[in-house]
Amino acid sequence: MTQQNIPEMYGSLVFDDKVMRARLSVDEYNSLRKTIDENAKLDPKIADAVANEMREWAVEKGATHFTHWFQPLTGVTAEKHDSFISPSPDGGVIMEFSGKELIKGEPDASSFPSGGLRATFEARGYTAWDPTSYAFIKDHTLCIPTAFCSYSGDALDKKTPLLRSMQALNVQAKRILKLFGKEVKYVRTSVGPEQEYFLVDKEMFEKRPDLVYTGRTLFGAMPPKGQELDDHYFGVIKPRVSAFMEDLNDELWKLGILAKTEHNEVAPAQHEMAPIFSTTNVATDNNQLTMEIMQKVARKHGMVCLLHEKPFKGVNGSGKHNNWSMATDTGVNLLSPGDTPSENAQFLLFLCSVVQAVDDYQDLLRLSVATAGNDHRLGANEAPPAIISVFLGDELSAILDAIKNDKPYHDKEKEVMKLGVSSLPRFSKDTTDRNRTSPFAFTGNKFEFRSLGSSNSIACCNIMLNAAVAESLKQYADRLEKAKNFEDELHDLIKETITAHERILFNGNGYTDEWVKEATVVRGLSNLKTTADAMPHLLDEKNKEMLMAHKVFSESELNSRCEIMLENYCKTINIEGLTMVDMVRKNYLPAIEGYVYSLAKSMSTVKSVSPNVKCAYEQKTLERLSYLADEILDKVDALEVALEALKDYDNIIKTSEVIRDDVLPKMESLRDSVDEAETLSSEKCWPFPSYGKLLFSVY
């Protein structure tokens, strides 16, 4: 793709604002824009007009089918394709697509996770057009982003509660801005998710059952070289990977996805792609699409894109940094200081709303990123710890400290910090050193939530973050709207909030044992290390009350999501355990036995020729491998019994606890023995590609 035709190619497969403006009448366009921008009710009269133009545009682009593209609770997207063709009176066909088909679909919902929201025989589900996220063409199919709900109206997807959370924040933020004399149409949150991933050779991948079935290696000894030299991070991108990245950019740009940054990450075979910010709902759709396109493009280049959080033990796993901010329709970033005392006070209030939200609902943020895969990554000296804290940097921390203590802030002027004051500096993106150990860091005009796993939908954490901030803003608005003296009440509110929630602020090293002790014992922060620890807190009364009050979830939807997420955790680890058993019994034990036999045969042959030869290597290796084989057999038997015993539990919380406390330790112990056996065995006899081949094969 040449530089000259990138602007022409960009968004060419998207029914975006430019296309709508050109194809719709002025009234139709303005009505649809009002729905998109102001959350106004969709005028059904224009649905047919939009559907007709959307179909004509899609057919011109080569599309033959359409689908309602949605995000069920499986964590991936779903689509059912229908062709545009309809029979004509003359026995032929015509191309049709109605407003009714655009607005609503009825996919079978029986096989999607529901967490008890409906019985299997209650199969009907509905998809509803989301006009705030543009339709696009993928594989000759017009994809229409939609919400997905049950026959009873319960949300069965991730888009619906995300849109609800965005609306909740919009309502409360507008109340705050009105108090500062500002009338805006809307406040939206924006996100730029940095996506990390691994690329491995497709041929190597297909020889590893663990990668095929689970997305991660369940066994594997470390090669002589890993990431110790730090020579891969930001290093020269190798030709094969560069070709993949070039094709990936082309495909993403056609779909209107603002792929901006690409580079090598820390671990061998690990890379990162980061887009430009977009509205949270659109960013979520785009990130789901990005992960799909990454995997598709990688296979075209003879590689496989691994999105698991920890595909290789011993090297860094993959995360997805969620860069989050708030802005008005006029383009004002609410997390940036302004030019006047009032604007600075406004900035400080919105900043405090986030700090309070993270403190009050740290458990919700933690469980929003909890998965079996991410449990391997968090706190492993490569990602933030499971303890949620906020990093503000030295400069901003000093400002808040000055406000809390009614002391001067030493900047351009010495002045008591009240209502922001004119001396409050504008923050660049890097006023202090970056703290990579912080899970939630302020980076100039946005917060970066770093705890997400690579394969996570960003919807989950943004739902919780939006809702929690909406709750803070609601409390502030309720108080300030009753104030007799707005400026005095505002100053007191900011000061009280800083004092009440300073325990969540931490600028130090989050990896140290000292921090864990301070955070949990002294500050009283939660340390939810695993999904089994975190997920049940979704149903804590304070969390249910807040999420239901802002109409983000109903009580039945919360119950269902807790069950679905824990069920997914249990099923994922059960599949991993069964895969380990299968690989050990069918491959590893026979391989070890075969090598032991070859060593014994070699010793016998040599000693028959010369009885005085010691055969020390053969003897020592044979004895150790024989011991390990017996140990591996005992451990795989124990794991198999533990997996079978899971069937006896009918409570998903109890099942997850047993997996955490019994199954996972048995899996890790079995792996240790097999990995040691790999280091003692001949490469020729080992049944699967080694870590060295997997991590360095694409170069």
Side-chain angles (χ1 to χ4, degrees):
M1 189 66 62
T2 63
Q3 185 176 358
Q4 287 72 23
N5 59 19
I6 288 177
E8 181 181 341
M9 172 268 294
Y10 180 81
S12 59
L13 298 180
V14 185
F15 193 77
D16 58 13
D17 185 77
K18 180 174 62 176
V19 176
M20 290 190 295
R21 187 187 292 270
R23 287 182 170 268
L24 299 174
S25 71
V26 173
D27 289 343
E28 291 165 348
Y29 172 79
N30 289 337
S31 177
L32 185 57
R33 274 276 30 128
K34 189 175 180 68
T35 297
I36 295 171
D37 293 338
E38 301 178 38
N39 202 35
K41 189 174 181 180
L42 177 68
D43 183 354
K45 296 179 182 178
I46 70 163
D48 280 327
V50 174
N52 183 63
E53 294 300 331
M54 194 179 284
R55 180 208 22 103
E56 285 193 3
W57 169 82
V59 171
E60 289 171 9
K61 296 287 185 179
T64 57
H65 290 67
F66 70 91
T67 181
H68 278 194
W69 186 79
F70 58 101
Q71 298 170 42
L73 297 174
T74 56
V76 295
T77 56
E79 50 195 66
K80 181 189 75 171
H81 297 189
D82 288 293
S83 70
F84 288 120
I85 65 170
S86 295
S88 64
D90 61 2
V93 295
I94 55 176
M95 305 293 273
E96 288 187 337
F97 181 53
S98 67
K100 181 180 178 181
E101 290 173 307
L102 169 63
I103 291 174
K104 187 178 79 171
E106 295 187 24
D108 186 340
S110 62
S111 295
F112 290 111
S114 72
L117 286 177
R118 50 118 189 92
T120 302
F121 65 87
E122 297 171 323
R124 178 167 289 177
Y126 294 109
T127 49
W129 176 37
D130 171 19
T132 66
S133 186
Y134 297 133
F136 57 91
I137 294 172
K138 176 171 67 77
D139 298 332
H140 304 292
T141 299
L142 173 66
C143 298
I144 303 159
T146 57
F148 179 48
C149 65
S150 69
Y151 179 73
S152 60
D154 292 308
L156 294 175
D157 67 343
K158 299 191 175 186
K159 177 183 283 284
T160 302
L162 178 62
L163 291 171
R164 292 171 182 168
S165 73
M166 293 173 66
Q167 176 61 13
L169 187 143
N170 172 59
V171 169
Q172 303 305 328
K174 286 168 65 176
R175 288 177 67 192
I176 294 294
L177 291 173
K178 188 174 182 179
L179 291 168
F180 284 92
K182 298 175 182 177
E183 295 283 349
V184 300
K185 291 181 180 178
Y186 59 79
V187 174
R188 283 183 178 160
T189 58
S190 298
V191 171
E194 303 168 26
Q195 179 71 55
E196 294 177 348
Y197 59 96
F198 280 83
L199 291 174
V200 298
D201 185 82
K202 180 173 176 287
E203 185 178 347
M204 298 290 180
F205 170 87
E206 291 173 345
K207 292 178 180 178
R208 294 280 314 211
D210 46 0
L211 282 177
V212 172
Y213 293 143
T214 73
R216 76 179 182 104
T217 53
L218 301 172
F219 302 99
M222 280 297 294
K225 178 186 176 183
Q227 62 188 50
E228 302 89 345
L229 298 178
D230 298 320
D231 54 343
H232 190 256
Y233 189 54
F234 279 22
V236 175
I237 300 172
K238 299 300 189 289
R240 192 176 178 188
V241 176
S242 181
F244 157 81
M245 289 179 171
E246 184 177 341
D247 281 356
L248 176 64
N249 286 334
D250 287 350
E251 295 301 318
L252 294 180
W253 289 338
K254 289 175 189 176
L255 291 166
I257 298 173
L258 291 158
K260 177 72 173 177
T261 303
E262 58 194 31
H263 62 83
N264 292 344
E265 256 299 334
V266 173
Q270 188 184 33
H271 311 278
E272 179 180 300
M273 187 283 288
I276 296 174
F277 278 64
S278 53
T279 304
T280 304
N281 179 40
V282 175
T284 302
D285 287 355
N286 285 350
N287 185 250
Q288 291 295 121
L289 196 53
T290 295
M291 290 190 286
E292 177 188 337
I293 299 299
M294 278 179 165
Q295 293 170 318
K296 186 181 297 183
V297 173
R299 287 190 174 272
K300 284 174 56 179
H301 288 264
M303 297 183 290
V304 173
C305 176
L306 301 179
L307 294 170
H308 194 284
E309 286 72 23
K310 192 72 173 179
F312 301 102
K313 183 179 179 180
V315 298
N316 279 14
S318 294
K320 180 150 49 190
H321 294 180
N322 187 82
N323 295 282
W324 180 93
S325 189
M326 296 178 279
T328 68
D329 61 284
T330 58
V332 175
N333 186 323
L334 298 176
L335 293 177
S336 289
D339 296 319
T340 66
S342 177
E343 289 174 344
N344 286 332
Q346 175 186 296
F347 157 71
L348 288 170
L349 189 63
F350 276 98
L351 181 81
C352 285
S353 74
V354 181
V355 171
Q356 177 178 333
V358 176
D359 188 18
D360 287 346
Y361 299 100
Q362 55 191 275
D363 50 355
L364 284 181
L365 289 178
R366 170 64 184 93
L367 68 85
S368 74
V369 300
T371 63
N374 211 22
D375 284 355
H376 294 290
R377 171 181 161 267
L378 291 180
N381 286 352
E382 64 195 67
I387 300 169
I388 301 296
S389 63
V390 176
F391 170 83
L392 294 180
D394 295 337
E395 186 173 15
L396 190 50
S397 295
I399 292 171
L400 296 187
D401 189 65
I403 295 172
K404 183 186 76 169
N405 296 302
D406 285 326
K407 292 181 178 179
Y409 170 67
H410 297 281
D411 186 45
K412 295 179 182 177
E413 323 168 15
K414 289 185 178 180
E415 193 168 349
V416 174
M417 293 293 293
K418 185 172 183 179
L419 282 183
V421 303
S422 58
S423 64
L424 184 63
R426 283 192 173 274
F427 295 95
S428 64
K429 290 190 177 181
D430 295 295
T431 57
T432 62
D433 191 17
R434 302 186 75 185
N435 187 334
R436 305 303 296 178
T437 72
S438 175
F440 203 91
F442 185 72
T443 54
N445 57 4
K446 58 184 172 62
F447 279 95
E448 186 176 8
F449 188 26
R450 297 169 175 157
S451 299
L452 281 78
S454 175
S455 65
N456 286 170
S457 165
I458 66 171
C460 301
C461 73
N462 285 298
I463 290 168
M464 300 309 179
L465 183 54
N466 290 343
V469 173
E471 174 61 21
S472 297
L473 294 174
K474 178 183 182 301
Q475 293 177 19
Y476 300 167
D478 289 346
R479 176 173 170 176
L480 292 172
E481 285 170 352
K482 299 174 184 176
K484 294 181 179 179
N485 185 307
F486 175 74
E487 292 187 359
D488 287 345
E489 192 70 27
L490 177 61
H491 176 264
D492 291 344
L493 174 58
I494 292 174
K495 179 180 177 180
E496 290 169 18
T497 302
I498 295 168
T499 303
H501 298 283
E502 62 182 340
R503 69 170 187 165
I504 202 72
L505 303 177
F506 179 63
N507 291 344
N509 184 354
Y511 290 157
T512 65
D513 293 337
E514 290 78 12
W515 165 238
V516 174
K517 183 177 180 180
E518 178 186 339
T520 56
V521 177
V522 180
R523 301 193 183 200
L525 302 181
S526 60
N527 184 14
L528 305 172
K529 295 182 179 180
T530 71
T531 300
D533 297 316
M535 197 57 64
H537 288 282
L538 180 62
L539 303 182
D540 287 356
E541 198 57 40
K542 74 173 181 68
N543 296 334
K544 289 169 59 176
E545 184 178 327
M546 183 274 287
L547 292 167
M548 291 166 61
H550 289 281
K551 296 180 169 47
V552 176
F553 290 110
S554 67
E555 185 169 14
S556 59
E557 288 170 345
L558 285 170
N559 290 330
S560 73
R561 274 160 173 75
C562 182
E563 181 173 336
I564 289 169
M565 295 301 104
L566 283 175
E567 190 175 72
N568 180 273
Y569 170 79
C570 294
K571 287 180 176 179
T572 297
I573 295 174
N574 188 59
I575 291 170
E576 291 180 351
L578 292 173
T579 301
M580 292 183 83
V581 170
D582 191 66
M583 293 174 71
V584 166
R585 294 204 185 281
K586 293 180 180 178
N587 302 103
Y588 285 122
L589 281 175
I592 295 169
E593 180 188 35
Y595 189 52
V596 167
Y597 173 78
S598 70
L599 289 172
K601 186 176 179 181
S602 174
M603 284 177 59
S604 177
T605 301
V606 171
K607 284 185 176 291
S608 69
V609 175
S610 177
N612 296 325
V613 176
K614 290 184 177 180
C615 295
Y617 160 71
E618 291 88 343
Q619 184 73 36
K620 186 175 180 180
T621 305
L622 183 151
E623 289 177 357
R624 183 58 185 166
L625 282 175
S626 294
Y627 173 82
L628 286 172
D630 291 341
E631 185 176 78
I632 290 168
L633 179 61
D634 290 341
K635 290 181 177 181
V636 78
D637 285 344
L639 176 58
E640 199 163 23
V641 169
L643 292 171
E644 185 65 25
L646 294 178
K647 298 176 182 178
D648 297 334
Y649 299 99
D650 57 6
N651 181 288
I652 196 65
I653 292 179
K654 178 61 178 176
T655 305
S656 69
E657 291 171 346
V658 172
I659 283 176
R660 176 196 64 198
D661 298 335
D662 185 44
V663 174
L664 282 171
K666 283 183 169 63
M667 289 170 60
E668 189 62 28
S669 179
L670 175 59
R671 174 177 188 152
D672 289 343
S673 298
V674 174
D675 289 356
E676 183 184 348
E678 179 182 356
T679 65
L680 298 173
S681 300
S682 165
E683 184 178 21
K684 291 181 179 179
C685 83
W686 207 243
F688 305 115
S690 67
Y691 262 29
K693 289 183 178 179
L694 285 166
L695 288 170
F696 296 97
S697 61
V698 296
Y699 306 114

